[in-house]
Amino acid sequence: LPILDEDQLPLIHNALLKKILELHFDGAMCFKLCVLPGFSLLAAQAVLKCKEMCPSIRLCLVLPCQEYAGEWCPGRFEGWSDILSRADKLIFAQRSFHPYSTKNNMATCIGRVATRCHFFLCYLEESHGVTYAAFKKAYYKRRHIINLSPTMQNPFCFPNSRI
């Protein structure tokens, strides 16, 4: 997982709040997230903060499988218990957990979000990895892509991109 720069967290959080409210006022009601430490955790927290201001906003968590909800909950990472308890809906991307392939579990989860959404909000800084694979799925499904990273606005023109 990409590590977010601690100095950038307040800026990213504020950008998320602004974009989520903007999308909501344009008609978005349900925000589906596959929550991992890093950007998606910030996004889930931002959705919940926006929900305090606009109660019609819904947070749907897309998890690789049912085992993940229980496995992640007890302190997997700070804030997970609160997010899980306040989510409006849990969606499971697959029936069972693949114990030897965390990357495959996450790719399935994020890929499901990317292909079944109207827009794909991300913080993409590298042209490889699980988030990039999901980005490509969203792109080929012609989803509206919003990349909040200031360093990589056009991922298909990134040097050494692995498409």
Side-chain angles (χ1 to χ4, degrees):
L1 296 173
I3 303 300
L4 298 174
D5 183 1
E6 290 287 327
D7 297 338
Q8 295 294 321
L9 292 181
L11 296 172
I12 296 168
H13 183 72
N14 288 337
L16 277 164
L17 291 172
K18 181 180 175 186
K19 185 53 75 175
I20 289 165
L21 288 173
E22 180 183 307
L23 290 166
H24 176 66
F25 293 133
D26 284 344
M29 302 298 273
C30 181
F31 292 83
K32 294 179 182 175
L33 298 166
C34 182
V35 182
L36 300 166
F39 176 75
S40 56
L41 175 62
L42 282 177
Q45 291 169 334
V47 168
L48 290 172
K49 183 72 172 168
C50 291
K51 185 176 176 164
E52 292 172 6
M53 296 178 274
C54 303
S56 60
I57 289 176
R58 297 287 174 253
L59 173 62
C60 296
L61 298 179
V62 181
L63 303 174
C65 60
Q66 193 165 7
E67 291 95 336
Y68 263 50
E71 181 182 315
W72 283 16
C73 193
R76 170 73 180 188
F77 51 86
E78 189 176 333
W80 172 245
S81 296
D82 181 54
I83 292 168
L84 186 62
S85 69
R86 293 173 59 197
D88 295 291
K89 185 176 182 180
L90 297 179
I91 300 168
F92 302 107
Q94 56 196 19
R95 291 178 189 226
S96 62
F97 176 65
H98 299 286
Y100 301 108
S101 181
T102 300
K103 185 176 181 180
N104 183 48
N105 290 323
M106 298 320 309
T108 301
C109 181
I110 294 172
R112 181 171 179 163
V113 172
T115 58
R116 298 179 182 184
C117 63
H118 296 288
F119 58 89
F120 184 69
L121 180 63
C122 62
Y123 193 88
L124 184 63
E125 291 191 306
E126 298 175 340
S127 58
H128 57 87
V130 173
T131 302
Y132 187 67
F135 161 83
K136 290 190 302 184
K137 288 181 180 186
Y139 177 84
Y140 290 121
K141 287 283 189 174
R142 300 182 187 266
R143 303 303 186 232
H144 179 67
I145 297 171
I146 304 159
N147 185 10
L148 294 180
S149 171
T151 60
M152 189 174 171
Q153 290 304 310
N154 187 348
F156 289 117
C157 294
F158 199 72
N160 302 320
S161 65
R162 300 179 212 159
I163 296 181

